[in-house]
Amino acid sequence: ALTWHGARYTQLDVGQGDAAVLQTEGRVLVIDTGSQGTSGLLDYLRHEGLSIDTLYISHPHEDHAGALVDVLAAGIPVGRILLSDDLDEARMDAPAREALLTAQQRGIPIGGLHAGERESWGTGSAVEVLGPRPRSAAQDVNDRSLVLRFTVAGVRILTTGDVTQRAEPLAQVDCDVLKVAHHGSGAATGTDFLRAAGPRLALIGVGRRNLYGHPTPETLSRLFQAGARVLRTDQGGALLLTLADGQVRAQTFLSAEGVQ
C-alpha cells in the first residue's frame, strides 16, 4: 500500500459526535475530539504516529470535546488549543471543563477566537474564523460554535460545529467541502446558508441508530437540492479526503450503501 504524503482531511467515525484531522504542510490540525471514551481520534493519532499542532474545539459540549481527556491521558502532545473567546466555565460540559483544566495544568496554551481572525502558513494554506461574532449574545452554546474555513491545496473546507440556522454566517462561506452542523439536525444547515456556501461535498458526523433522528430528512433534502454529494460516518465510517490542486478525492472505509 502506498502512503499519501499530501494534504488530507479525515472526518473520523466517533459515533454521535464530531472529530476531524487535517494534515497539511507538516501540520496536524484537529477539529473537535468526539466524546470521552470514543477511540476514533486516539486510534487514528496512534496509528499515524501523529501529535497535534493545533486543536480547535468548536464548542465545549461533551460530544465535541470530551475525548480530549483521553488524548491527554495517552500522552499525545498538543501544541495549543483554540476555542471561541466568548465562553465561560458555566457554559461548558463537565468533561470539556475537566479536559481544558488538565491541559492548562500541563502548560498547553489555550486561546480564544472570534469572527474576523485569520491565520496563514506555508504555500497558500490558511484558516479564517467566520463565527461566532465578537461578544455574541447567543444563549445557546451551539450558536457560539467556531465556524472555520480552511483553504488547503486550493480546496476550501468549512467546519461549522453545531451552529443552528439562527447564527449561521452568510458572508464568505463559499466552500468546496462542508462539515454539516449538528450531525444533520433539522435546526441547522438552512437554505440561505447553503445557497451562500455552495458545497460540492457535504460530510456528516453522526452515530448509527442515534436517538435524535439525525440526519433529518429535511436537512438531507436541502443538501441534495443544493447539489451536494453527501457522505456520512454512520454509513461510510471514517471519511478520507485527499486534496490536491483544487481537487478532492473522497474515500470511505465501510461499504456505504445508499450514499448519494
Side-chain angles (χ1 to χ4, degrees), residues 133-150:
R133 298 187 184 95
R135 296 176 296 281
S136 167
Q139 295 303 304
D140 187 344
V141 173
N142 288 336
D143 289 340
R144 300 191 185 200
S145 291
L146 287 180
V147 178
L148 305 171
R149 185 172 66 173
F150 297 90

Side-chain angles (χ1 to χ4, degrees), residues 235-260:
Q235 294 180 336
L239 311 174
L240 170 63
L241 309 183
T242 53
L243 318 169
D245 301 321
Q247 301 298 311
V248 180
R249 180 183 178 185
Q251 176 184 353
T252 64
F253 285 85
L254 296 176
S255 175
E257 295 182 7
V259 171
Q260 302 186 46

Side-chain angles (χ1 to χ4, degrees), residues 11-20 30-43 55 57-72 93-96 98-99 162 183 205-207 210 212:
Q11 191 73 40
L12 296 168
D13 181 5
V14 292
Q16 186 69 8
D18 268 340
V30 172
I31 306 98
D32 289 337
T33 69
S35 297
Q36 185 174 2
T38 57
S39 62
L41 175 60
L42 186 55
D43 287 349
L55 168 61
I57 294 177
S58 67
H59 62 298
H61 278 167
E62 203 273 342
D63 60 330
H64 289 253
L68 175 56
V69 172
D70 304 322
V71 170
L72 295 175
D93 284 358
E98 175 189 346
D162 277 355
H183 324 294
V206 63
N210 66 85
Y212 309 99

Side-chain angles (χ1 to χ4, degrees), residues 143-259:
D143 289 340
R144 300 191 185 200
S145 291
L146 287 180
V147 178
L148 305 171
R149 185 172 66 173
F150 297 90
T151 301
V152 174
V155 178
R156 299 159 302 170
I157 302 172
L158 187 65
T159 68
T160 52
D162 277 355
V163 69
T164 73
Q165 293 184 42
R166 292 186 301 262
E168 287 171 344
L170 299 177
Q172 298 179 298
V173 293
D174 49 307
C175 64
D176 303 296
V177 178
L178 171 67
K179 196 292 295 180
V180 174
H182 207 177
H183 324 294
S185 162
T189 318
T191 300
D192 291 342
F193 170 76
L194 285 171
R195 186 179 297 118
R200 292 180 284 154
L201 179 63
L203 310 179
I204 303 178
V206 63
R208 299 166 185 81
R209 297 181 296 278
N210 66 85
L211 300 177
Y212 309 99
H214 295 162
T216 65
E218 295 81 4
T219 297
L220 291 174
S221 177
R222 290 195 293 268
L223 288 165
F224 296 147
Q225 289 175 9
R229 180 190 180 201
V230 175
L231 295 177
R232 301 161 42 171
T233 58
D234 63 331
Q235 294 180 336
L239 311 174
L240 170 63
L241 309 183
T242 53
L243 318 169
D245 301 321
Q247 301 298 311
V248 180
R249 180 183 178 185
Q251 176 184 353
T252 64
F253 285 85
L254 296 176
S255 175
E257 295 182 7
V259 171

Side-chain angles (χ1 to χ4, degrees), residues 75-156:
I76 302 291
V78 179
R80 61 176 178 167
I81 298 172
L82 299 175
L83 66 165
S84 169
D85 63 6
D86 196 23
L87 293 166
D88 54 45
E89 288 190 8
R91 291 180 176 271
M92 297 182 183
D93 284 358
R97 186 166 56 247
E98 175 189 346
L100 289 169
L101 178 60
T102 300
Q104 188 177 47
Q105 291 171 342
R106 296 188 181 186
I108 298 173
I110 299 174
L113 297 173
H114 58 256
E117 298 188 77
R118 186 179 189 275
E119 181 180 10
S120 59
W121 63 90
T123 55
S125 296
V127 59
E128 303 162 84
V129 184
L130 306 181
R133 298 187 184 95
R135 296 176 296 281
S136 167
Q139 295 303 304
D140 187 344
V141 173
N142 288 336
D143 289 340
R144 300 191 185 200
S145 291
L146 287 180
V147 178
L148 305 171
R149 185 172 66 173
F150 297 90
T151 301
V152 174
V155 178
R156 299 159 302 170

